[in-house]
């Protein structure tokens, strides 16, 4: 699912909620077992994380850099934003750090150490 589809679904859901709150629509039980099963299959698992969508304005250059980083890592732009924000929060708060961000940091440090050792071996061999 891409970000545009997510935003469209969010807008539709918000519109439906407003109509329900205004009394324009009523909830009715689903009586067809197949329809009920289909509706239940569309719901996220009970233990799924809750997320919110936030519009975000930033300089074009920053966006271009984030898009490039996401492409290099093979992840979506949204996932890249989440990783950067989570890492930034962990660096500025006393909250428990995100384990994925920590693993990426450890992986990068290990790669730097490996590169350094490989360079030393080439120098020693020469």
């Amino acid at each position: 699912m891409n970000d545009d589809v997510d935003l469209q679904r969010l807008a539709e859901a918000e519109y439906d909620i407003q109509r329900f709150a205004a009394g324009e629509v009523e909830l009715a039980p689903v009586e067809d077992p197949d329809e009920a099963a289909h509706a239940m299959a569309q719901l996220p698992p009970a233990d799924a994380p809750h997320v919110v969508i936030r519009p975000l304005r930033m300089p074009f250059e920053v966006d271009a850099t984030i898009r490039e980083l996401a492409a290099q890592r093979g992840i979506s732009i949204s996932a890249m934003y989440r990783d950067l924000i989570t890492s930034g929060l962990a660096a500025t708060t006393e909250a428990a750090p995100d384990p994925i961000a920590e693993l990426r940091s450890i992986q990068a440090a290990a790669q730097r150490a490996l590169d350094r050792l490989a360079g030393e071996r080439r120098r020693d061999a020469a």
Side-chain angles (χ1 to χ4, degrees):
M1 190 178 315
N2 67 36
D3 292 340
D4 292 337
V5 172
D6 288 344
L7 290 174
Q8 179 64 36
R9 287 185 179 168
L10 178 65
E12 290 169 359
E14 185 174 343
Y15 175 73
D16 289 341
I17 290 168
Q18 289 172 349
R19 290 183 58 215
F20 176 74
E24 297 173 12
V25 209
E26 291 183 19
L27 296 179
V30 178
E31 299 193 18
D32 178 14
D34 291 334
E35 189 178 343
H38 177 72
M40 291 300 289
Q42 302 301 312
L43 295 174
D47 60 348
H50 298 285
V51 295
V52 296
I53 296 174
R54 297 280 184 240
L56 182 63
R57 294 181 190 270
M58 70 185 67
F60 177 81
E61 296 81 12
V62 173
D63 183 64
T65 301
I66 292 171
R67 288 177 181 275
E68 185 178 316
L69 286 170
Q72 289 172 0
R73 294 182 183 184
I75 60 176
S76 72
I77 295 163
S78 292
M80 189 74 233
Y81 284 130
R82 284 189 296 274
D83 287 354
L84 290 171
I85 291 169
T86 303
S87 297
L89 283 173
T92 60
T93 66
E94 293 181 25
D98 176 37
I100 300 297
E102 278 192 80
L103 286 174
R104 286 190 178 135
S105 176
I106 292 167
Q107 180 184 18
Q111 186 63 50
R112 286 191 302 272
L114 183 62
D115 292 344
R116 192 176 315 120
L117 287 172
E120 289 174 12
R121 284 188 185 155
R122 280 192 294 267
R123 252 184 291 138
D124 290 345

